[in-house]
Short mmCIF file of all heavy atoms in Angstrom, two decimals:
data_model
loop_
_atom_site.label_atom_id
_atom_site.label_comp_id
_atom_site.label_asym_id
_atom_site.label_seq_id
_atom_site.Cartn_x
_atom_site.Cartn_y
_atom_site.Cartn_z
N LEU K 50 20.54 -27.94 45.89
CA LEU K 50 19.65 -27.93 47.06
C LEU K 50 19.72 -26.64 47.84
O LEU K 50 18.76 -26.02 48.23
CB LEU K 50 19.89 -29.14 47.95
CG LEU K 50 19.02 -29.48 49.04
CD1 LEU K 50 17.57 -29.70 48.53
CD2 LEU K 50 19.51 -30.74 49.75
N LEU K 51 20.95 -26.22 48.06
CA LEU K 51 21.26 -25.10 48.86
C LEU K 51 20.64 -23.80 48.17
O LEU K 51 20.09 -22.84 48.76
CB LEU K 51 22.75 -24.90 48.95
CG LEU K 51 23.21 -24.98 50.37
CD1 LEU K 51 24.72 -25.23 50.39
CD2 LEU K 51 22.87 -23.70 51.07
N GLU K 52 20.87 -23.71 46.92
CA GLU K 52 20.35 -22.60 46.09
C GLU K 52 18.87 -22.40 46.31
O GLU K 52 18.37 -21.34 46.50
CB GLU K 52 20.68 -22.80 44.65
CG GLU K 52 21.55 -21.90 43.99
CD GLU K 52 22.27 -22.44 42.78
OE1 GLU K 52 21.62 -23.33 42.10
OE2 GLU K 52 23.39 -21.99 42.48
N MET K 53 18.21 -23.58 46.30
CA MET K 53 16.76 -23.58 46.45
C MET K 53 16.42 -23.09 47.83
O MET K 53 15.42 -22.37 47.98
CB MET K 53 16.27 -25.00 46.24
CG MET K 53 14.86 -24.99 45.95
SD MET K 53 14.36 -26.66 45.50
CE MET K 53 15.11 -26.84 43.97
N MET K 54 17.17 -23.45 48.81
CA MET K 54 16.90 -23.02 50.20
C MET K 54 17.12 -21.50 50.35
O MET K 54 16.30 -20.81 50.92
CB MET K 54 17.85 -23.82 51.16
CG MET K 54 17.54 -25.20 51.33
SD MET K 54 15.85 -25.44 51.86
CE MET K 54 15.52 -26.98 51.02
N VAL K 55 18.22 -21.06 49.76
CA VAL K 55 18.55 -19.70 49.89
C VAL K 55 17.51 -18.81 49.28
O VAL K 55 17.11 -17.77 49.82
CB VAL K 55 19.98 -19.40 49.24
CG1 VAL K 55 20.21 -17.87 49.18
CG2 VAL K 55 21.05 -20.10 50.02
N ASN K 56 17.01 -19.27 48.11
CA ASN K 56 16.04 -18.44 47.44
C ASN K 56 14.57 -18.83 47.78
O ASN K 56 13.66 -18.41 47.07
CB ASN K 56 16.22 -18.57 45.91
CG ASN K 56 17.59 -18.15 45.50
OD1 ASN K 56 18.06 -17.12 46.01
ND2 ASN K 56 18.24 -18.91 44.69
N SER K 57 14.46 -19.63 48.79
CA SER K 57 13.14 -20.18 48.99
C SER K 57 12.08 -19.11 49.36
O SER K 57 12.34 -18.19 50.17
CB SER K 57 13.20 -21.14 50.21
OG SER K 57 11.90 -21.30 50.76
N ILE K 58 10.92 -19.28 48.76
CA ILE K 58 9.83 -18.45 49.16
C ILE K 58 8.73 -19.30 49.87
O ILE K 58 7.59 -18.93 50.03
CB ILE K 58 9.12 -17.65 48.01
CG1 ILE K 58 8.78 -18.66 46.87
CG2 ILE K 58 10.06 -16.55 47.50
CD1 ILE K 58 7.87 -18.05 45.83
N TYR K 59 9.18 -20.41 50.23
CA TYR K 59 8.25 -21.42 50.96
C TYR K 59 7.80 -20.78 52.23
O TYR K 59 8.47 -20.15 53.01
CB TYR K 59 9.07 -22.76 51.27
CG TYR K 59 8.28 -23.74 51.93
CD1 TYR K 59 7.12 -24.28 51.37
CD2 TYR K 59 8.62 -24.28 53.19
CE1 TYR K 59 6.40 -25.28 51.91
CE2 TYR K 59 7.97 -25.25 53.79
CZ TYR K 59 6.74 -25.76 53.18
OH TYR K 59 6.10 -26.72 53.76
N SER K 60 6.49 -20.91 52.48
CA SER K 60 5.86 -20.14 53.58
C SER K 60 6.15 -20.73 54.93
O SER K 60 6.23 -20.01 55.91
CB SER K 60 4.39 -19.97 53.37
OG SER K 60 3.84 -21.25 53.22
N GLN K 61 6.32 -22.01 54.94
CA GLN K 61 6.55 -22.70 56.30
C GLN K 61 8.06 -22.81 56.56
O GLN K 61 8.57 -23.85 56.79
CB GLN K 61 5.90 -24.01 56.32
CG GLN K 61 4.44 -23.93 56.63
CD GLN K 61 3.86 -25.28 56.62
OE1 GLN K 61 3.79 -25.87 55.49
NE2 GLN K 61 3.40 -25.75 57.70
N LYS K 62 8.67 -21.68 56.53
CA LYS K 62 10.13 -21.63 56.88
C LYS K 62 10.47 -22.25 58.21
O LYS K 62 11.58 -22.73 58.46
CB LYS K 62 10.71 -20.24 56.78
CG LYS K 62 10.60 -19.60 55.38
CD LYS K 62 11.38 -18.36 55.36
CE LYS K 62 11.47 -17.75 53.99
NZ LYS K 62 10.19 -17.26 53.42
N GLU K 63 9.45 -22.25 59.03
CA GLU K 63 9.70 -22.67 60.46
C GLU K 63 10.16 -24.11 60.56
O GLU K 63 10.73 -24.50 61.58
CB GLU K 63 8.39 -22.55 61.27
CG GLU K 63 7.30 -23.48 60.73
CD GLU K 63 5.91 -23.06 61.19
OE1 GLU K 63 5.68 -21.89 61.42
OE2 GLU K 63 5.09 -24.00 61.44
N ILE K 64 9.92 -24.89 59.53
CA ILE K 64 10.39 -26.33 59.66
C ILE K 64 11.88 -26.49 59.81
O ILE K 64 12.31 -27.58 60.08
CB ILE K 64 9.81 -27.18 58.45
CG1 ILE K 64 10.38 -26.71 57.15
CG2 ILE K 64 8.36 -27.29 58.50
CD1 ILE K 64 10.54 -27.79 56.14
N GLU K 146 11.43 -24.64 39.86
CA GLU K 146 12.06 -23.36 40.08
C GLU K 146 12.19 -22.90 41.56
O GLU K 146 13.25 -22.74 42.16
CB GLU K 146 11.47 -22.20 39.29
CG GLU K 146 10.84 -22.59 37.98
CD GLU K 146 9.59 -23.47 38.15
OE1 GLU K 146 8.67 -22.97 38.89
OE2 GLU K 146 9.43 -24.55 37.59
N ASP K 147 10.99 -22.67 42.19
CA ASP K 147 11.05 -22.03 43.51
C ASP K 147 11.00 -23.06 44.65
O ASP K 147 11.21 -22.67 45.76
CB ASP K 147 9.85 -21.03 43.57
CG ASP K 147 8.48 -21.81 43.44
OD1 ASP K 147 8.53 -23.01 43.37
OD2 ASP K 147 7.41 -21.15 43.37
N GLY K 148 10.78 -24.30 44.31
CA GLY K 148 10.80 -25.26 45.37
C GLY K 148 9.69 -25.13 46.41
O GLY K 148 9.70 -25.77 47.44
N ARG K 149 8.68 -24.43 46.02
CA ARG K 149 7.56 -24.16 46.93
C ARG K 149 6.92 -25.42 47.53
O ARG K 149 6.90 -25.66 48.70
CB ARG K 149 6.53 -23.32 46.24
CG ARG K 149 5.41 -22.94 47.12
CD ARG K 149 4.22 -22.43 46.28
NE ARG K 149 4.63 -21.24 45.57
CZ ARG K 149 4.28 -20.00 46.03
NH1 ARG K 149 3.70 -19.90 47.16
NH2 ARG K 149 4.71 -18.91 45.41
N ASP K 150 6.53 -26.31 46.64
CA ASP K 150 5.93 -27.59 47.07
C ASP K 150 6.93 -28.56 47.62
O ASP K 150 6.70 -29.20 48.56
CB ASP K 150 5.21 -28.16 45.91
CG ASP K 150 4.00 -27.38 45.53
OD1 ASP K 150 3.38 -26.72 46.45
OD2 ASP K 150 3.68 -27.28 44.37
N ILE K 152 9.72 -28.41 49.06
CA ILE K 152 10.24 -28.19 50.43
C ILE K 152 9.19 -28.75 51.43
O ILE K 152 9.51 -29.40 52.40
CB ILE K 152 10.50 -26.74 50.74
CG1 ILE K 152 11.74 -26.36 49.83
CG2 ILE K 152 10.87 -26.54 52.22
CD1 ILE K 152 12.02 -24.91 49.84
N GLY K 153 7.89 -28.49 51.11
CA GLY K 153 6.83 -29.10 51.97
C GLY K 153 6.82 -30.58 51.93
O GLY K 153 6.52 -31.22 52.90
N VAL K 157 14.11 -31.78 54.27
CA VAL K 157 15.16 -31.08 53.63
C VAL K 157 16.47 -30.98 54.44
O VAL K 157 17.44 -30.53 53.93
CB VAL K 157 14.68 -29.67 53.22
CG1 VAL K 157 13.78 -29.79 52.05
CG2 VAL K 157 14.04 -28.99 54.36
N TYR K 160 20.31 -28.30 55.47
CA TYR K 160 20.34 -27.12 54.60
C TYR K 160 19.14 -26.19 54.73
O TYR K 160 19.19 -25.04 54.26
CB TYR K 160 20.57 -27.43 53.15
CG TYR K 160 21.95 -28.00 52.75
CD1 TYR K 160 22.15 -28.63 51.56
CD2 TYR K 160 22.96 -27.88 53.64
CE1 TYR K 160 23.41 -29.12 51.21
CE2 TYR K 160 24.19 -28.40 53.35
CZ TYR K 160 24.42 -29.00 52.17
OH TYR K 160 25.66 -29.50 51.82
N SER K 161 18.05 -26.68 55.30
CA SER K 161 16.89 -25.82 55.43
C SER K 161 17.21 -24.63 56.26
O SER K 161 16.50 -23.66 56.22
CB SER K 161 15.74 -26.70 56.02
OG SER K 161 16.09 -27.14 57.31
N ALA K 162 18.23 -24.66 57.04
CA ALA K 162 18.62 -23.52 57.83
C ALA K 162 18.84 -22.36 56.89
O ALA K 162 18.63 -21.17 57.30
CB ALA K 162 19.96 -23.83 58.54
N PHE K 163 19.26 -22.62 55.67
CA PHE K 163 19.49 -21.43 54.78
C PHE K 163 18.18 -20.82 54.14
O PHE K 163 18.28 -19.86 53.51
CB PHE K 163 20.36 -21.91 53.63
CG PHE K 163 21.85 -22.05 54.05
CD1 PHE K 163 22.30 -23.29 54.44
CD2 PHE K 163 22.69 -20.94 54.15
CE1 PHE K 163 23.62 -23.46 54.90
CE2 PHE K 163 23.92 -21.09 54.60
CZ PHE K 163 24.48 -22.36 54.98
N MET K 164 17.05 -21.36 54.60
CA MET K 164 15.79 -20.58 54.29
C MET K 164 15.71 -19.41 55.09
O MET K 164 15.05 -18.45 54.75
CB MET K 164 14.58 -21.54 54.59
CG MET K 164 14.38 -22.69 53.58
SD MET K 164 12.70 -23.31 53.62
CE MET K 164 12.74 -24.23 55.12
N VAL K 165 16.34 -19.41 56.26
CA VAL K 165 16.18 -18.28 57.19
C VAL K 165 17.49 -17.57 57.48
O VAL K 165 17.52 -16.51 58.01
CB VAL K 165 15.51 -18.69 58.56
CG1 VAL K 165 14.10 -19.26 58.29
CG2 VAL K 165 16.37 -19.69 59.21
N LYS K 211 18.40 -13.85 58.34
CA LYS K 211 18.35 -12.86 57.25
C LYS K 211 17.67 -11.62 57.75
O LYS K 211 16.89 -11.65 58.71
CB LYS K 211 17.54 -13.49 56.09
CG LYS K 211 18.23 -14.56 55.37
CD LYS K 211 17.35 -15.00 54.18
CE LYS K 211 17.84 -16.29 53.52
NZ LYS K 211 17.03 -16.72 52.42
N GLU K 214 12.23 -8.55 55.09
CA GLU K 214 11.87 -7.85 53.88
C GLU K 214 11.21 -6.54 54.25
O GLU K 214 10.58 -6.43 55.33
CB GLU K 214 10.90 -8.71 53.07
CG GLU K 214 11.39 -9.99 52.60
CD GLU K 214 12.33 -9.85 51.39
OE1 GLU K 214 12.12 -8.92 50.58
OE2 GLU K 214 13.27 -10.69 51.25
N ASP K 220 9.27 -11.35 58.95
CA ASP K 220 9.62 -12.53 58.16
C ASP K 220 10.66 -13.39 58.85
O ASP K 220 10.42 -14.62 58.96
CB ASP K 220 10.30 -11.91 56.87
CG ASP K 220 9.98 -12.81 55.65
OD1 ASP K 220 9.29 -13.83 55.86
OD2 ASP K 220 10.57 -12.58 54.58
N PHE K 221 11.71 -12.81 59.30
CA PHE K 221 12.75 -13.63 59.93
C PHE K 221 12.88 -13.28 61.39
O PHE K 221 13.34 -14.19 62.23
CB PHE K 221 14.13 -13.44 59.24
CG PHE K 221 13.98 -13.82 57.72
CD1 PHE K 221 13.95 -12.84 56.77
CD2 PHE K 221 13.89 -15.15 57.41
CE1 PHE K 221 13.82 -13.21 55.40
CE2 PHE K 221 13.74 -15.50 56.07
CZ PHE K 221 13.72 -14.56 55.09
#
Side-chain angles (χ1 to χ4, degrees):
L50 187 57
L51 243 165
E52 244 156 29
M53 198 172 290
M54 290 305 148
V55 170
N56 302 318
S57 160
I58 51 163
Y59 182 58
S60 57
Q61 278 175 295
K62 295 190 171 72
E63 64 195 35
I64 61 151
E146 329 70 51
D147 62 7
R149 183 193 295 264
D150 291 324
I152 294 169
V157 288
Y160 288 169
S161 61
F163 285 96
M164 285 199 285
V165 299
K211 292 184 187 180
E214 299 281 331
D220 213 4
F221 302 105

